[in-house]
Amino acid sequence: MRISPVRSYNFQPQIQSTNKKNIAFKSGYYDIINEIADKCQYVKDPSDLIYDELKKHWTPDSGDINRVKERIELLRSQRQMREARLNNMDTIISAKDREIRNEATTHSQISNEIVETQRKNAIAKIKMSRIVASYDRVQEVNKQLEDKYINLFKFDGDKKFPNAIMISGLKNEDEKKDVLDNLINNGCKVLKTDFANIPLKNVAEEINGLASRIKKSGEHSILYVENFDKYTTPEDVNQPFISKFKGFLCSCAKRCDTTVLVFENNPKRLDENIIGGHRFEKKIDVSNIKEEVPSVFVPKFDGYTFVYDTDEDSQVDLYLGDAGKNPALLWADTTSYDKIKVVLDRLDEVKAQDKFKYTKYLQVPFSPGAFDAGFTVCPFRRTYEGNVILEQEI
């Protein structure tokens, strides 16, 4: 009978190996290679350092050193590729950042141009409104002068020219000049005198002298008196002249062929003996023809610039209170009470804006003018700069 060989399952064969292979088997040869390569990759000539590091684990040969160097070259190549990618990303990000900044600058410039164009358009609308109103006033005065004075020259026989004509409601010297030019262009003779240039003691003599000159010419004329109010207001010093002048006004058209013409926008301030009776029997009042100055609201980022007149400073920035978060508060960003008063006077137009339709209080930075006008101090409230805030219910 054949006998089977004896097998021992606890038998471990003795492996004859070098120190390097044992170490590689036990601790991971390539882990050590990678660790040393990672440590030495930043050294310019790492050969000596590689050798010293390998000796800590085994006695190295040239193959070990070359493997570390190969690993170092790979790590350096990967690092350079990462740095190149990062530099490229930095370049792309910088370019994109410049593009975004340029777009933001362009957008800001366009926004500013739009706002400035809207402001200029607002001013142009206001100017046009005033031009139209001025034209309408002058046209209305000229029409009434034609009916009450110019057309009288077309009639034969006794002409009942008015003793005096008072024109009220013209706004400036240009409008007055247009009216006088129209009279002259229609063949009317106009003489001018200015009370501001004549001493009080000589004014009656001046008027009589001009009236005599007109009478001698044989042609009915207009005597235009500038600054008529200087000697015709009811002060005691003016009474001697007024006593004489009121008699002149009662009959100057018939006796002297003279019609006195004055421009006066506030007749009530004159002495009643001057404006009463049949002295100024012809009165032309165009004060009801007013320019409809449009209120223009130029949108801002979080509010409006309220443009209310043609000069550069006739505007005020309006916002919602509490940095735009409180619809019940209207913030007028000005310490000028004149501007605040414009906002109050045109409150209906302001509150017609969607942003301000729920406002109940007007708040402004502290100013003596607003405080004296009845604005009250808001307790426990300050501006970002720490200034007092005033408030009024609207």
Side-chain angles (χ1 to χ4, degrees), residues 308-345:
Y308 56 85
D309 214 327
T310 56
D311 57 276
E312 191 73 23
D313 195 44
S314 294
Q315 57 187 49
V316 56
D317 290 333
L318 302 177
Y319 307 93
L320 287 180
D322 293 340
K325 297 178 181 179
N326 193 336
L329 300 180
L330 171 63
W331 176 262
D333 197 23
T334 179
T335 56
S336 167
Y337 184 68
D338 290 338
K339 294 185 178 184
I340 295 169
K341 191 171 185 306
V342 171
V343 174
L344 291 171
D345 290 344

Side-chain angles (χ1 to χ4, degrees), residues 115-133 291-298 307-312 314-315:
V115 169
E116 181 60 19
T117 299
Q118 290 175 321
R119 191 187 70 81
K120 289 180 178 178
N121 289 343
I123 291 174
K125 285 176 67 176
I126 294 171
K127 287 182 177 178
M128 182 55 65
S129 174
R130 289 191 166 159
I131 289 171
V132 171
E291 56 266 23
E292 296 181 4
V293 178
S295 298
V296 182
F297 295 85
V298 180
V307 181
Y308 56 85
D309 214 327
T310 56
D311 57 276
E312 191 73 23
S314 294
Q315 57 187 49

Side-chain angles (χ1 to χ4, degrees), residues 48-98:
D48 292 340
L49 183 60
I50 292 171
Y51 184 80
D52 292 341
E53 290 294 324
L54 285 170
K55 267 179 62 174
K56 295 177 182 178
H57 302 282
W58 65 77
T59 301
D61 57 24
S62 60
D64 298 326
I65 295 173
N66 288 335
R67 288 187 189 95
V68 175
K69 287 184 176 181
E70 288 172 0
R71 180 62 183 171
I72 287 174
E73 289 301 316
L74 178 62
L75 290 174
R76 288 175 175 174
S77 175
Q78 290 174 342
R79 188 175 72 245
Q80 289 174 353
M81 290 177 63
R82 285 196 303 272
E83 290 176 351
R85 285 196 297 269
L86 288 173
N87 289 335
N88 185 51
M89 286 300 297
D90 285 342
T91 302
I92 293 173
I93 291 171
S94 297
K96 195 65 179 178
D97 186 54
R98 285 194 300 272

Side-chain angles (χ1 to χ4, degrees), residues 175-393:
E175 293 180 10
K176 296 176 185 178
K177 183 178 181 301
D178 288 343
V179 169
L180 293 173
D181 288 346
N182 179 68
L183 287 168
I184 294 170
N185 292 336
N186 278 280
C188 300
K189 188 175 180 181
V190 178
L191 273 70
K192 176 183 173 182
T193 188
D194 188 346
F195 279 0
N197 297 329
I198 308 170
L200 178 57
K201 62 181 181 179
N202 298 333
V203 67
E205 182 182 351
E206 176 75 10
I207 293 294
N208 288 330
L210 290 171
S212 297
R213 179 179 162 189
I214 292 171
K215 180 67 174 178
K216 289 178 182 178
S217 72
E219 184 179 0
H220 190 93
S221 303
I222 285 178
L223 177 58
Y224 165 47
V225 181
E226 199 168 13
N227 294 304
F228 183 73
D229 61 307
K230 184 173 177 64
Y231 300 129
T232 56
T233 52
E235 281 84 15
D236 291 341
V237 68
N238 293 334
Q239 291 307 316
F241 170 69
I242 290 174
S243 296
K244 297 176 183 178
F245 192 52
K246 67 179 183 179
F248 174 80
L249 288 175
C250 286
S251 58
C252 58
K254 187 173 183 179
R255 291 192 304 109
C256 306
D257 279 339
T258 301
T259 293
V260 174
L261 173 66
V262 299
F263 296 101
E264 175 55 60
N265 286 345
N266 187 14
K268 292 182 179 179
R269 67 187 178 135
L270 304 181
D271 192 286
E272 61 181 8
N273 289 312
I274 292 295
I275 62 173
H278 56 281
R279 296 173 182 90
F280 281 96
E281 53 193 319
K282 302 297 183 184
K283 294 179 181 178
I284 301 173
D285 187 359
V286 292
S287 56
N288 63 319
I289 303 177
K290 299 177 181 178
E291 56 266 23
E292 296 181 4
V293 178
S295 298
V296 182
F297 295 85
V298 180
K300 295 173 68 69
F301 172 71
D302 52 354
Y304 296 94
T305 296
F306 173 32
V307 181
Y308 56 85
D309 214 327
T310 56
D311 57 276
E312 191 73 23
D313 195 44
S314 294
Q315 57 187 49
V316 56
D317 290 333
L318 302 177
Y319 307 93
L320 287 180
D322 293 340
K325 297 178 181 179
N326 193 336
L329 300 180
L330 171 63
W331 176 262
D333 197 23
T334 179
T335 56
S336 167
Y337 184 68
D338 290 338
K339 294 185 178 184
I340 295 169
K341 191 171 185 306
V342 171
V343 174
L344 291 171
D345 290 344
R346 303 195 190 177
L347 204 54
D348 288 343
E349 298 169 70
V350 173
K351 295 182 75 171
Q353 309 306 309
D354 286 342
K355 190 181 288 292
F356 303 138
K357 61 184 178 182
Y358 299 115
T359 54
K360 297 179 180 178
Y361 298 91
L362 173 62
Q363 291 187 343
V364 297
F366 179 86
S367 67
F371 186 75
D372 293 343
F375 279 73
T376 57
V377 175
C378 292
F380 314 113
R381 301 294 301 279
R382 291 291 187 273
T383 65
Y384 289 132
E385 296 79 15
N387 298 324
V388 173
I389 294 176
L390 299 179
E391 181 179 86
Q392 184 178 105
E393 188 172 0

